[in-house]
Every structure is written in C-alpha cells, then in structure tokens.
Amino acid sequence: MSGAVTLTGTTPTEAVLAPFRAQAGRALMLGHVHPDADVLGTLLALGQALEARGWSVTYGGPHPAPAALVFLPGVERYQRLHTLDGRFDVAVLTDCPNPQRTEGLIDQARRAAATVVNIDHHPDNRRYGDVNWIDVSAAATGEMVYELLVGLGAPLTPPIATNLFTALHTDTGSFRYSNVTPRTFRTAAALVDAGAAPAFVSEWLYERRAPDALRWLGEALARVEVSDDGRLAWLALPSGSVPEKFIESEELVNYPRSVATVRVACLFRESLGQVKVSLRGKGDVDVQRIAARFGGGGHRNAAGCTIAGPLAEATRVVLAAVRAALAGTPEAPEAGGSAR
Ligand code: 5GP
Ligand code: MN
C-alpha cells in the first residue's frame, strides 16, 4: 500500500497515535470472524476511550460476540455487520492478521474510512492497513492497546480496564503461557489498579458453565486420542456429537495438550461440511506453519485453520502434516510449558 506506515516496536509512535488525536471524529471498530476476547476487549476499550473524547464509534464485524463474553463492558454495542453505512475517519482492526478474516468488510472499510489502522501481534500479519502496528512480542493485542491509550493520555476507566484485562487473561491462558512477560504482568497490574477485577473476570470466564456442560465435557473427553509415541493427541468431534454452544464455551484443545508427553495437540470440529482445526504446540514445532499450509494461521504455539470435510479425511491429512513436522524433532520429550 503506498504511503503505508509500519511500526514493530512496543510503544506506539506518533504515526500510530495521530489518527486518534482529533477531538471528535467517527471511528469503526472492526472485528474479524468469530471474535474472541482479545479482539473484542481491545476494540471496546479503544472505542470507549474515543467516545469519552466525543467521538462517535461503531463496533461490529462479520460474526456476533460470543455469549460467553456478555460480561465485557459495552459488548452489547458490538453488532453483526453486513454492509457499512456512512463514512469514518478511522477504521481499526485488532488481532486480525489477514484482511480476508473480515469476510469482505475490510474492502468496504477501505472505501468508507480515511485511515485503516491495523494493530496486531501475529507474526504472519499481512500489513494491510494505512497504519500497521505489529508487535509480535505482545502476549495479547490488549497489551498494545493499553500502550496506545497511555500514549494518547486517555483515562483508564473501570470498563476500559476490564476489557483490556480480559484480553490479556484469555490470550495468555490466564497468565500461564510462554508469551507472558514481565510487561504482561505490569500491564495487568495497571489495569487492576484502574478497576479491572480479576475474580470477576475469572468467574465469568471459568465458573459459568451450564448445568449440563460437565456431561458434554465427559462426552467430548472420551474421544481424546493419543499417538503411540505420546507426542500427538487429538480430539475429533463429529457434527451433532456435542452442542456447538458447548464447544464455543470451552477451550477443548487444552485437554489433549495437558498430557505431559504431548508436543502437539489438535481439535477437529465438524460443522456444516467444514472442519475447524485448532492446533497447539509446546515449542517444538511451529504449528502456525502447519495451519498456513491449510490456508490458516496464528502463532507459533497456537494456530488454526478451516478445511473441507469430511471429518475423518480432514483429521487424517492434518495429523499427517503434524507427524511430519514432529519427525524432525527429538524423540524423547520432556514435559514443559506451553504457549499461545
Ligand atoms: P483457535 O484455535 O483458538 O481458534 O485459534 C488459535 C489461533 O489461531 C488464533 O491466534 C487465531 O487467530 C488463529 N486462527 C484460528 N483459526 C484460524 C484460521 O482459520 N485462519 C487464520 N489465519 N488463523 C486462524
Ligand atoms: Mn490475540
């Protein structure tokens, strides 16, 4: 893109801050397909900071916010968008490495907005914005938007703090993965100082199961398989085997990953003739490269893709690719940490 600016550092430069300096304007906060808490928390936090300064903000994307995230302050403003109305001074995308993940809304946003700002921490980000801020050292885009708000001198209200804290919480697996740095904890501490309540967020994320969810969990976990060498574990869910809503409310891939010898864990979920694949690694192989071979992407230790069914065939080809990647790594694994 001609005239585009790209920054890869941890602190936003004036080029990143400039689009948000105006006293009032119109902003579009654009999410990608199946938005998670890092996407939603950052879009809501930045939008709320702009609204406090008199901006008018539209929040939305191709899919609605998941029910599990109803507690994010202001998430009721996030709409499912088919087309964009009117013009914007700025369109912001967060946590979105690939513009195709907006189902065409990015093209409308480019026509409707003076400046497209792309804020992300994925290494495979396509740098599709007028302003691209890509910090691969950030555990979550939440860390970056926190720096952005500090740079703008925007007051951190409790709703903003809760949105950003939740983004950090979920992208780090509750501050457990190898992407966690001292900066993650410093940011989290500042957000708690500003009014984010860790117990409130944890309760909403982990203690709100539906009464029948444990039965579905049993049903799902009975399908976990582990390879003979113990390095690969996977879970394949045929459509209808457990409710979609249940799958969306759980990070099921964490269970096969929790086996000590496992180096790569996979979740395959069949839905409407397609198979959504989640891959998790523990540092030995780059699962993002595996996902990319199937048209997906992500991070070194957490990636995904969507491929054509049927489930058995999708499972076979992805497991073959994972086995090939594992073949180049040492045979005797040690149990270790994991990362996102
Ligand atoms: P999850 O397995 O939780 O859906 O996703 C893990 C990571 O992989 C996230 O960083 C997400 O952005 C990425 N990812 C998941 N599915 C896809 C996909 O279909 N395409 C791309 N490009 N990335 C994906
Ligand atoms: Mn993220």
Side-chain angles (χ1 to χ4, degrees):
M1 192 174 296
S2 67
V5 180
T6 295
L7 165 71
T8 55
T10 56
T11 312
T13 55
E14 192 51 37
V16 176
L17 299 170
F20 308 106
R21 289 274 191 212
Q23 268 315 305
R26 295 197 62 200
L28 170 68
M29 298 290 149
L30 181 58
H32 65 58
V33 290
H34 303 296
D36 66 9
D38 195 25
V39 179
L40 293 170
T42 49
L43 293 178
L44 292 167
L46 178 53
Q48 286 158 2
L50 293 174
E51 283 174 330
R53 302 204 344 245
W55 284 58
S56 115
V57 181
T58 300
Y59 304 86
H63 293 154
L69 298 176
V70 286
F71 71 94
L72 292 179
V75 75
E76 67 285 352
R77 299 270 309 278
Y78 189 88
Q79 327 157 25
R80 185 171 204 166
L81 295 174
H82 301 286
T83 53
L84 297 178
D85 289 330
R87 292 209 44 86
F88 301 95
D89 299 293
V90 192
V92 181
L93 293 96
T94 56
D95 204 39
C96 180
N98 187 335
Q100 284 174 355
R101 303 202 86 213
T102 64
E103 298 200 337
L105 288 167
I106 180 81
D107 301 316
Q108 294 185 45
R110 281 202 186 100
R111 288 193 290 272
T115 308
V116 173
V117 180
N118 164 16
I119 302 173
D120 188 22
H121 66 140
H122 289 85
D124 60 341
N125 189 285
R126 307 287 208 277
R127 303 177 181 207
Y128 50 82
D130 300 305
V131 176
N132 302 285
W133 179 23
I134 316 302
D135 176 7
V136 300
S137 75
T141 321
E143 285 184 14
M144 302 174 69
V145 169
Y146 169 78
E147 296 293 342
L148 181 60
L149 297 187
V150 170
L152 289 170
L156 292 174
T157 61
I160 289 174
T162 301
N163 279 315
L164 292 180
F165 184 82
T166 307
L168 261 62
H169 207 288
T170 54
D171 258 29
T172 59
S174 310
F175 304 96
R176 288 180 299 130
Y177 298 153
S178 66
N179 57 1
V180 173
T181 65
R183 170 189 173 195
T184 314
F185 286 110
R186 280 195 293 269
T187 307
L191 294 170
V192 174
D193 261 339
F200 169 87
V201 172
S202 302
E203 192 196 333
W204 273 98
L205 290 175
Y206 307 117
E207 311 274 328
R208 294 260 164 175
R209 283 192 168 106
D212 57 358
L214 294 184
R215 190 168 71 77
W216 293 121
L217 190 56
E219 194 88 17
L221 295 186
R223 295 172 187 267
V224 171
E225 298 191 61
V226 183
S227 64
D228 290 341
D229 67 1
R231 299 201 296 166
L232 173 57
W234 67 97
L235 170 52
L237 295 174
S239 63
S241 56
V242 292
E244 292 270 329
K245 234 179 113 177
F246 162 74
I247 300 176
E248 266 146 34
S249 64
E250 299 282 338
E251 276 276 303
L252 288 173
V253 70
N254 284 344
Y255 292 95
R257 177 170 62 186
S258 68
V259 176
T261 55
V262 164
R263 313 318 296 162
V264 176
C266 315
L267 169 69
F268 302 91
R269 7 175 327 200
E270 183 184 41
S271 173
L272 305 170
Q274 292 199 307
V275 180
K276 168 83 181 78
V277 184
S278 289
L279 301 174
R280 297 293 185 270
K282 294 182 183 173
D284 317 64
V285 297
D286 183 348
V287 295
Q288 186 267 321
R289 288 180 62 181
I290 299 172
R293 283 180 44 194
F294 297 98
H299 302 273
R300 182 179 168 83
N301 286 328
C305 56
T306 302
I307 58 184
L311 180 63
E313 178 61 9
T315 304
R316 192 186 66 74
V317 296
V318 173
L319 291 183
V322 176
R323 283 199 171 95
L326 280 169
T329 66
E331 285 293 320
E334 288 168 34
S338 57
R340 183 148 175 115

